[in-house]
Amino acid sequence: MPPRRQPPPASGPWGPRPAVLLLAPLLLLLALQGVAAAPVGAEGPEDSPGLQDAEFPSGLLQQAARAALHFFNFRAGSPSALRVLAAVLEGRATVNPKKGCQVDLVFTTDHYNPEVGEEHLGKCSARVFFRNQKPKPAINVTCTRLIEKNKRQEEDYLLYKHMKQLKTPLDVTSIPDSHGHIDPSLRPIWDLAFLGSSYVMWEKTTQSLHYYMAQISSVNQWKTNDDTIDFDYTVLLHEFSTQEIIPCRIHLVWYPGKPLKVKYHCQELQTPEEASGTEEGSAVAPTELNNF
Amino acid sequence: MQGAPGGGPGPGPSPVDRWMLVVFSFIMATALGQMNFTGDQVLRVLAKNEKQLSVLRDLDGLKPQKVDFWRSPAKPSLPVDMRVPFSELKDIKSYLESHGLAYSIMIKDIQVLLDKEREAMAKSRRLERSTSSFSYSSYHTLEEIYNWMDNFVTEYSDIVSKIQIGHSFENRSILVLKFSTGGSQRRAIWIDTGIHSREWITHATGIWMAKKIVSDYGKDRTLTNILNAMDIFMEIVTNPDGFAFTHSMNRLWRKNKSTRPGMFCIGVDLNRNWKSGFGGNGSNNNPCSETYRGPSPQSEPEVAAIVNFITTHGNVKALISIHSYSQMLMYPYGHSLEPVPNQEELYQLAKDAVKALYEVHGIEYIFGSISATLYVASGITVDWAYDSGIKYAFTFELRDTGRYGFLLPASQIVPTAQETWLALRTIMEHTLQHPY
């Protein structure tokens, strides 16, 4: 077996280490596009398990964890109980060059809005299947229950009531502003927008692309009535590793305890030919039917 | 802008009232020659009904003038503010008391207030000329930063000087601060921030660290040793055109603002334009892409300026290029997974630097080579630096890990700068102790 490359770095998202971190022998998907470039000419066998660490795309476990968490947040449908990745504890990947790449992993999570003194690390296990650089990975994820279901609904309902009290039309341009400031009264909007974006970010994540929500660039519609919040907004997603900023128009409908409904349309990257006539963002209504 | 002090709860002049007072007094002073308001008071009266309001209105228009209404009697429950000359105070207060009108003294002595205001304004004008009033915990515009630089260099002229190393595409000055305690062509450390204009935390961190350097020289032993033997060059706004654009039009702009005939998209990614591994997979030749490498290595004036400066200097021993976000400290290469010859040393140094950073606020960074830790990136600054013979080449990705990303709240500027400084100092100390 070829010698193992040096262990991954010490701290941070890789977690407290090496005793716990398992990188079992990996089948490698060759000819990876884009970023995780293998050195030229280093082709390996397609069908035998081999330790080809030098070609291991850095952060595949992280990719899987992120996708799983976006999916988890979306499915939980709770803006007051959003989770973020803390550390990957262990993981294993199997590659089928024809179909894709399956990752099994265990990771810890943190509260999205950390409260002072609160130290609740959650734990999730997930199976993520990436289809050959195509988006919308298939996800199976279970997480330890941290907040009791009733309490979570209570918090969501408080958020909901708070949001209903906001004066409409909302007098905001972007959240946060250029200086990173979010008015406390608008924070629930950010959380709800993040919940909607989680759906989008899950669907768009591939083995090599992942996303963060950079900014709500406009609020197109904010309607509250007795049984839903109807939120139509444009969000800017920051795409790694291309560094692109992708505007996405998202329309969500939410009520505490009910599954989140999301429709969205993201702008494609401009090519030189398209650039000249194209206006920023599609002001067109979302055409892609997602889970409505 | 600072709120007026004493603008807390309870009675007391609001900032608006104070300002009106000052305006009023200036107008009066110019119209009548300097007037003296010593002993004059401003009373606030609350009329409970129309009858009480008319009692107040009776005070108006008397000759000689008994009161001067700042807030005239209008409706019951709306306060009435009136300036009462010192000579009339006793009479007016008896008048109010005899009619059952409650009053409070808002300003005990107007002249005192006027004098304080005048003094404060003069002080504030003096302060603007010193860097201690520049807010290190806010984000600033290009003009503000360039002004700060001039003040900074003036105030600390024994250690700092300003060098122009070139012009940007839109013809803005490209400026570098030089920290030096003497000597000639000393071994030097190069630091740059803001090569990607949307990474505002980096410029803010650079500015804070500049101030830290001058403040700590002579006080902090490590820093003093470093500066006694080496020079530090710091380029804070490495991409001035992009930075101006993030203020005016697009907060999330990354590249510079160069254009070429026939190209529909603007800007080159300055961190893909260097002559090391140029054109590889970790960059893009689509001009509309955020990682567009440019037509050729060093084609961009912002990059060429640095290349010329460092090459001509000839004695730069460490280069640190600061970005955000992701919380990482990394070393070459970005364009390939091939380890650099002194990889083990760089790994250890990064480990120590990250530990020093962590000890400040508990923030966790990961570290390693760029290609292994972040992603493959071709034509980057630190790869060029390393291939040019600079053994200690590092790149930071500052806070955070995606929650705010580029839009890091200003409240995190100082904590970020504090921790980054210790990591940077670790690297600089190692460079000092390992001459080559």
Side-chain angles (χ1 to χ4, degrees), chain A residues 5-14 17 34-39 54-56 58-59 84 112-114 175-182 187 190-191 212-215 236 238 240-245 269-273 275-276, chain B residues 138-140 198-200 246-247 251-252 254 264-265 269 272 281 284 286-291 325-326 331 337 343-344 347 351 354 364-368 370-376 397 401-411:
Chain A
R5 85 182 161 107
Q6 69 172 232
S11 56
W14 287 105
R17 316 183 293 118
V35 172
E55 298 166 60
F56 180 55
S58 53
V84 286
Y112 184 66
N113 282 317
I175 306 171
D177 65 16
S178 287
H179 296 222
H181 178 69
I182 302 178
R187 192 162 287 263
W190 172 264
D191 289 345
Y212 297 101
M213 184 171 108
Q215 191 181 44
L236 299 175
H238 177 213
F240 270 75
S241 55
T242 63
Q243 292 293 338
E244 299 297 329
I245 301 292
L269 172 66
Q270 287 181 323
T271 62
E273 306 85 61
S276 48
Chain B
S138 309
Y139 293 112
H140 291 280
R198 60 192 180 196
E199 297 164 7
W200 281 16
T246 60
H247 279 275
R251 172 64 178 83
L252 295 174
R254 167 184 169 92
F264 296 113
C265 289
D269 183 346
R272 297 292 187 279
N281 274 337
N284 203 310
N286 174 355
C288 300
S289 159
E290 290 281 27
T291 53
Y325 56 92
S326 283
Y331 44 82
L337 287 161
Q343 139 110 342
E344 191 53 51
Y347 177 89
K351 188 173 181 190
V354 157
E364 294 189 341
Y365 269 53
I366 58 179
F367 61 95
I370 293 148
S371 50
T373 310
L374 184 56
Y375 45 63
V376 168
E397 292 277 355
T401 54
R403 207 250 193 254
Y404 285 102
F406 302 119
L407 305 180
L408 195 71
S411 56

Side-chain angles (χ1 to χ4, degrees), chain B residues 25 49 118 230 255 303 329 354:
Chain B
S25 66
N49 49 44
R118 242 194 304 271
M230 303 180 74
K255 304 188 282 185
V303 170
L329 175 55
V354 157

Side-chain angles (χ1 to χ4, degrees), chain B residues 252-323:
Chain B
L252 295 174
W253 189 259
R254 167 184 169 92
K255 304 188 282 185
N256 75 349
K257 293 296 294 310
S258 70
T259 57
R260 277 161 186 92
M263 278 193 183
F264 296 113
C265 289
I266 299 171
V268 169
D269 183 346
L270 295 177
N271 198 29
R272 297 292 187 279
N273 187 244
W274 300 75
K275 200 173 183 173
S276 173
F278 179 88
N281 274 337
S283 64
N284 203 310
N285 73 346
N286 174 355
C288 300
S289 159
E290 290 281 27
T291 53
Y292 174 51
R293 62 178 79 114
S296 59
Q298 295 166 209
S299 57
E300 304 310 294
E302 297 86 358
V303 170
I306 301 175
V307 171
N308 291 335
F309 180 82
I310 291 182
T311 309
T312 308
H313 184 279
N315 211 12
V316 172
K317 297 301 177 187
L319 178 140
I320 298 106
S321 191
I322 302 185
H323 292 253

Side-chain angles (χ1 to χ4, degrees), chain B residues 64-345:
Chain B
Q65 187 190 52
K66 299 252 182 212
V67 304
D68 169 28
F69 284 108
W70 282 12
R71 256 208 261 236
S72 299
K75 292 201 295 217
S77 85
L78 279 180
V80 176
D81 295 344
M82 51 198 201
R83 178 183 67 86
V84 183
F86 180 69
S87 54
E88 307 297 330
L89 269 176
K90 196 144 165 258
D91 283 347
I92 296 293
K93 281 178 179 172
S94 318
Y95 179 80
L96 293 174
E97 281 154 20
S98 68
H99 282 93
L101 278 158
Y103 64 89
S104 57
I105 303 172
M106 269 176 51
I107 302 177
K108 256 169 60 169
D109 189 332
I110 289 178
Q111 190 59 39
V112 167
L113 202 64
L114 282 178
D115 291 342
K116 277 199 186 142
E117 282 287 357
R118 242 194 304 271
E119 195 191 295
M121 284 177 65
K123 191 170 175 205
S124 149
R125 275 194 299 273
R126 280 198 305 274
L127 274 181
E128 269 157 32
R129 288 193 277 277
S130 134
T131 56
S132 49
S133 71
F134 174 92
S135 171
Y136 290 87
S137 53
S138 309
Y139 293 112
H140 291 280
T141 63
L142 186 64
E143 288 69 36
E144 287 166 359
I145 295 177
Y146 278 18
N147 284 337
W148 167 84
M149 272 188 212
D150 286 337
N151 293 338
F152 185 68
V153 161
T154 307
E155 197 174 331
Y156 297 98
S157 50
D158 48 341
I159 307 186
V160 198
S161 55
K162 184 178 86 170
I163 308 171
Q164 176 165 316
I165 65 169
H167 280 102
S168 67
F169 184 84
E170 289 175 344
N171 212 27
R172 293 185 172 84
S173 300
I174 302 177
L175 302 172
V176 171
L177 294 175
K178 177 183 181 183
F179 301 80
S180 178
T181 59
S184 158
Q185 212 73 355
R186 280 182 173 171
R187 293 187 297 139
I189 294 156
W190 169 277
I191 302 164
D192 63 75
T193 59
I195 199 170
H196 290 140
S197 36
R198 60 192 180 196
E199 297 164 7
W200 281 16
I201 186 60
T202 68
H203 319 78
T205 296
I207 289 168
W208 187 94
M209 295 198 302
K211 176 76 169 174
K212 181 72 170 164
I213 290 171
V214 299
S215 307
D216 269 14
Y217 179 71
K219 301 200 183 88
D220 174 69
R221 187 147 58 129
T222 310
L223 187 269
T224 306
N225 290 342
I226 292 166
L227 260 187
N228 281 344
M230 303 180 74
D231 292 342
I232 299 173
F233 293 99
M234 192 186 286
E235 182 177 353
I236 294 179
V237 192
T238 306
N239 179 3
D241 297 347
F243 188 62
F245 199 57
T246 60
H247 279 275
S248 63
M249 291 292 290
N250 184 345
R251 172 64 178 83
L252 295 174
W253 189 259
R254 167 184 169 92
K255 304 188 282 185
N256 75 349
K257 293 296 294 310
S258 70
T259 57
R260 277 161 186 92
M263 278 193 183
F264 296 113
C265 289
I266 299 171
V268 169
D269 183 346
L270 295 177
N271 198 29
R272 297 292 187 279
N273 187 244
W274 300 75
K275 200 173 183 173
S276 173
F278 179 88
N281 274 337
S283 64
N284 203 310
N285 73 346
N286 174 355
C288 300
S289 159
E290 290 281 27
T291 53
Y292 174 51
R293 62 178 79 114
S296 59
Q298 295 166 209
S299 57
E300 304 310 294
E302 297 86 358
V303 170
I306 301 175
V307 171
N308 291 335
F309 180 82
I310 291 182
T311 309
T312 308
H313 184 279
N315 211 12
V316 172
K317 297 301 177 187
L319 178 140
I320 298 106
S321 191
I322 302 185
H323 292 253
S324 79
Y325 56 92
S326 283
Q327 288 173 203
M328 295 174 176
L329 175 55
M330 299 172 287
Y331 44 82
Y333 285 116
H335 72 268
S336 99
L337 287 161
E338 171 203 342
V340 290
N342 68 335
Q343 139 110 342
E344 191 53 51
E345 182 187 12

Side-chain angles (χ1 to χ4, degrees), chain A residues 67 76 83 116 127 140 161 178 225 249 268:
Chain A
R83 309 295 298 178
V116 181
R127 167 166 289 181
N140 228 311
K161 282 211 297 190
S178 287
N225 54 43
R249 177 91 180 255
E268 295 306 310

